[in-house]
Amino acid sequence: MKRIALVSAVLLAAVNYVYSAGIEMNISPDGSNVKATYSGSLDLTSFFNSGSVESMYSGGEQALLWPQEPVIGVSTTTAETEMGSIWGIDSPLPSFGSDVQSVPDSFYGDSFGITIDSGTSDQAIFFDVKDIDENNIVSVNGGMTFQNTTISDLGLNLGTYQMNDSDFAQGENITLTITPEPATMALLGLGGLFIRRRSS
């Protein structure tokens, strides 16, 4: 009986982990290119209950990376397609770089991203309503590629950045991680080794 209870508890924890993962966004070098990817899910139940999910319309197939504002997102829908959006985020995604606007050479996947109202600087999450299931969970996966460029060229600052809101389900958030060039990582590793040797 105890074994059954333990298995049930483990399975329940696994289910909660799957539905509380949030959305991970990653920007990293890929050879001579830079790739930005996103995947994961958000439980929108609390946002629906509070009436925070609004309608907006897609401007068609487009994608943009603008670190200073910040704006990062992909729309793979046709023009005038109804999208879902959530404005007034409690803890918006902070700026993650300079005032460089970059359009990717290619992009794919589900429509998703973070945008702003140019008049008020209010930040929002946007997504395609077709990606919301019967449990109010929106799941997305996609990315974009910037050819023959670097993290520095795109005006990006290395680090991990988060968006949080009281209506996110427990354990959920949106996380953006910007990874350095391989050469930079090697230098950081050597620096750490040097410090350890000096202190030993």
Side-chain angles (χ1 to χ4, degrees):
M1 189 69 178
K2 289 183 179 179
R3 183 176 297 178
I4 293 174
L6 177 62
V7 171
S8 299
V10 170
L11 288 175
L12 180 60
V15 169
N16 285 334
Y17 175 80
V18 169
Y19 285 100
S20 300
I23 294 176
E24 297 281 343
M25 309 177 80
N26 294 281
I27 304 177
S28 60
D30 182 37
S32 61
N33 305 324
V34 172
K35 285 191 173 181
T37 61
Y38 55 90
S39 64
S41 61
L42 289 174
D43 185 343
L44 304 181
T45 300
S46 292
F47 290 103
F48 276 111
N49 290 342
S50 64
S52 300
V53 179
E54 302 178 21
S55 293
M56 62 181 290
Y57 286 87
S58 167
E61 295 187 3
Q62 55 186 312
L64 180 66
L65 177 65
W66 191 357
Q68 181 175 278
E69 289 305 309
V71 173
I72 176 172
V74 168
S75 172
T76 54
T77 61
T78 57
E80 298 305 315
T81 297
E82 184 178 0
M83 306 279 283
S85 62
I86 299 171
W87 296 86
I89 300 298
D90 294 341
S91 180
L93 188 74
S95 172
F96 51 88
S98 61
D99 190 21
V100 178
Q101 298 183 48
S102 302
V103 175
D105 295 278
S106 61
F107 55 91
Y108 68 94
D110 304 309
S111 295
F112 172 77
I114 296 164
T115 189
I116 61 163
D117 182 318
S118 57
T120 64
S121 296
D122 192 13
Q123 198 174 104
I125 308 165
F126 70 86
F127 43 84
D128 193 334
V129 293
K130 73 174 179 57
D131 295 322
I132 304 173
D133 69 13
E134 66 277 6
N135 297 310
N136 295 326
I137 294 172
V138 60
S139 299
V140 295
N141 181 69
M144 42 188 165
T145 299
F146 302 86
Q147 296 180 353
N148 300 313
T149 192
T150 66
I151 294 291
S152 178
D153 291 338
L154 295 173
L156 299 167
N157 294 336
L158 304 178
T160 298
Y161 307 83
Q162 288 191 341
M163 170 186 278
N164 289 284
D165 192 272
S166 57
D167 278 338
F168 282 162
Q170 185 176 2
E172 289 190 346
N173 60 25
I174 295 176
T175 301
L176 167 65
T177 302
I178 303 173
T179 306
E181 317 288 340
T184 305
M185 293 183 71
L187 287 173
L188 290 173
L190 288 173
L193 179 62
F194 179 72
I195 292 170
R196 286 196 296 273
R197 285 181 174 175
R198 283 288 299 271
S199 62
S200 61

